[in-house]
């Protein structure tokens, strides 16, 4: 029994490493389907592997770092040949999600995102702060190896950083929701969810492809999905919207037509960022409020049960029942 368990642990670890590497690589190939060029450097507006890596670390723990490194190596080798700069890029792409995981664990992050503090931690620590590492290392390597002129450092650095951060903001919550799902919602919820999906699939393509600026139409959908379906609804809506907006931006159509590449990057990332923040934080606030209300309702129910027990049961200890204080009636 002990021998079988000892042999099973390395096999499980190897399977987890391979699965994480495969997920990272697949997310990387998906992210590379849509690219923008800023100052001669190619970047992806949303880099899904960063979100996959942070989610895997939150679900599996620090032991899956090797799978992240292997997946990052496979993605880099699919774009370029092996060179010393690849080692630095690999280190940055691996260290950034590990840093995000360590900071989130330090502040007591809960992967169900049921509290506002968890949403804020994911935004400011997991996405904005930790992804500074990968963007600084990656663009720094390009600068040192003379593949990027000095004047282009900040625009390319900003594009790299925002792309990695958007991957965490959009992809990580969706994967955490999928992992936490245990059973489908009741039929009545499916009817409303189907109606929301139909409206979203009609409205989002219109908003992201119309020459008239209609991107604001997405926000009522985010509010509806957050109010009724919390994190699962709002983040799925944000994911679909960001994908369609990225396709429109890279094709230069709709609200992104006639803009320079830098303007496209700024408009797209501002929209995706505000939308992801709205969806994540609004759903966290609503979930926290509902959890607080359920706690108050349970406390009230317990208090009612205690009061019913006291009024229907025995008198308090040490006191005779009401009406018997003077003893039984006797003759005068």
């Amino acid at each position: 029994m002990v021998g079988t368990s000892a042999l099973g642990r390395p096999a499980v670890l190897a399977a987890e490493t391979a699965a994480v590497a495969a997920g990272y690589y697949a997310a990387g190939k998906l992210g590379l389907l849509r690219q923008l060029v800023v100052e001669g450097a190619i970047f992806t507006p949303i880099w899904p592997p960063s979100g996959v890596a942070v989610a895997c670390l939150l679900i599996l723990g620090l032991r899956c770092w090797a799978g992240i490194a292997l997946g990052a190596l496979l993605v880099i080798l699919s774009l370029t040949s092996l060179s010393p700069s690849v080692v630095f890029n690999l280190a940055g792409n691996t260290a950034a999600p590990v840093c995000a995981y360590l900071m989130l664990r330090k502040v007591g992050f809960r992967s169900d995102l049921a509290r506002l503090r968890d949403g804020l931690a994911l935004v400011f620590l997991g996405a904005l702060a930790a992804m500074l590492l990968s963007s600084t290392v990656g663009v720094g390597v390009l600068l040192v190896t003379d593949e990027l002129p000095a004047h282009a450092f900040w625009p390319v650095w900003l594009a790299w950083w925002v792309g990695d951060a958007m991957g965490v903001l959009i992809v990580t919550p969706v994967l955490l929701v999928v992992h936490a799902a245990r059973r489908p919602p009741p039929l009545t919820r499916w009817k409303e969810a189907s109606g929301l999906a139909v409206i979203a699939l009609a409205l989002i393509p219109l908003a992201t492809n119309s020459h008239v600026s209609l991107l604001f139409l997405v926000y009522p959908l985010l509010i509806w999905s957050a109010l009724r379906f919390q994190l699962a609804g709002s983040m799925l809506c944000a994911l679909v919207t960001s994908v369609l907006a990225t396709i429109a931006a890279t094709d230069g159509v709709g609200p992104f037509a006639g803009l320079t590449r830098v303007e496209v990057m700024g408009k797209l990332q501002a929209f995706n960022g505000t939308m992801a923040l709205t969806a994540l934080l609004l759903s966290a606030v609503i979930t926290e409020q509902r959890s607080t209300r359920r706690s108050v309702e349970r406390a009230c129910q317990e208090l009612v049960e205690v009061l019913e027990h006291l009024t229907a049961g025995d008198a308090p200890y040490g006191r005779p029942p009401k009406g018997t204080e003077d003893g039984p009636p006797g003759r005068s």
Side-chain angles (χ1 to χ4, degrees):
M1 180 72 74
V2 176
T4 303
S5 177
L7 291 175
R9 283 195 293 269
V12 171
L13 181 61
E16 288 180 350
T17 301
V20 171
Y24 190 103
Y25 178 77
K29 301 304 285 185
L30 286 175
L32 291 171
L33 293 177
R34 292 291 169 170
Q35 302 173 349
L36 289 174
V37 179
V38 176
E39 298 292 344
I42 299 175
F43 79 100
T44 57
I46 302 174
W47 186 236
S50 61
V52 171
V54 174
C56 288
L57 286 166
L58 291 173
I59 294 171
L60 301 175
L62 199 57
R63 66 181 183 272
C64 70
W65 72 268
I68 297 172
L70 178 59
L73 178 62
L74 294 175
V75 172
I76 294 173
L77 292 181
S78 69
L79 300 173
T80 183
S81 59
L82 190 63
S83 63
S85 61
V86 170
V87 177
F88 291 98
N89 282 326
L90 178 62
N93 290 336
T94 305
V98 170
C99 181
Y101 166 74
L102 293 176
M103 289 192 294
L104 291 173
R105 190 178 66 173
K106 184 70 174 179
V107 299
F109 176 82
R110 283 169 30 185
S111 58
D112 58 1
L113 291 168
R115 304 173 299 177
L116 178 59
R117 59 176 292 186
D118 297 323
L120 292 173
L122 184 63
V123 171
F124 291 102
L125 296 180
L128 300 182
M131 296 304 119
L132 291 171
L133 187 58
S134 58
S135 59
T136 302
V137 172
V139 182
V141 169
L142 294 177
L143 188 64
V144 170
T145 57
D146 294 327
E147 297 181 36
L148 184 73
H151 68 84
F153 176 85
W154 289 113
V156 176
W157 177 88
L158 180 62
W160 192 313
W161 174 57
V162 174
D164 282 358
M166 288 304 305
V168 176
L169 286 179
I170 294 178
V171 177
T172 298
V174 173
L175 294 179
L176 293 178
V177 167
V178 172
H179 175 260
R182 293 293 179 266
R183 57 183 180 180
L187 181 60
T188 55
R189 303 285 287 170
W190 275 111
K191 292 180 180 179
E192 183 179 2
S194 300
L196 176 60
V198 170
I199 295 174
L201 292 178
L203 188 59
I204 295 175
L206 174 64
T208 55
N209 288 276
S210 174
H211 290 285
V212 182
S213 184
L214 298 177
L215 292 176
F216 63 89
L217 294 178
V218 174
Y219 288 95
L221 288 176
L222 290 177
I223 296 172
W224 180 9
S225 58
L227 286 172
R228 300 297 295 163
F229 301 99
Q230 286 79 58
L231 188 67
S234 63
M235 291 313 303
L236 285 174
C237 185
L239 176 63
V240 173
T241 304
S242 64
V243 169
L244 294 180
T246 300
I247 293 173
T250 52
D251 289 341
V253 299
F256 305 97
L259 302 179
T260 65
R261 288 298 184 181
V262 175
E263 291 172 341
V264 168
M265 180 198 72
K267 187 172 185 176
L268 174 65
Q269 301 296 41
F271 171 69
N272 281 342
T274 55
M275 180 188 57
L277 285 173
T278 300
L280 181 59
L281 298 183
L282 180 60
S283 60
V285 169
I286 293 171
T287 303
E288 186 176 42
Q289 289 181 343
R290 292 194 173 190
S291 178
T292 302
R293 186 183 66 185
R294 285 193 294 267
S295 299
V296 172
E297 290 175 349
R298 283 196 299 267
C300 292
Q301 182 62 33
E302 291 174 358
L303 180 59
V304 169
E305 292 175 357
V306 170
L307 292 175
E308 290 177 350
H309 176 74
L310 290 176
T311 56
D314 298 331
Y317 177 77
R319 294 182 58 188
K322 186 176 180 181
T324 62
E325 291 85 348
D326 298 330
R331 298 180 179 177
S332 54

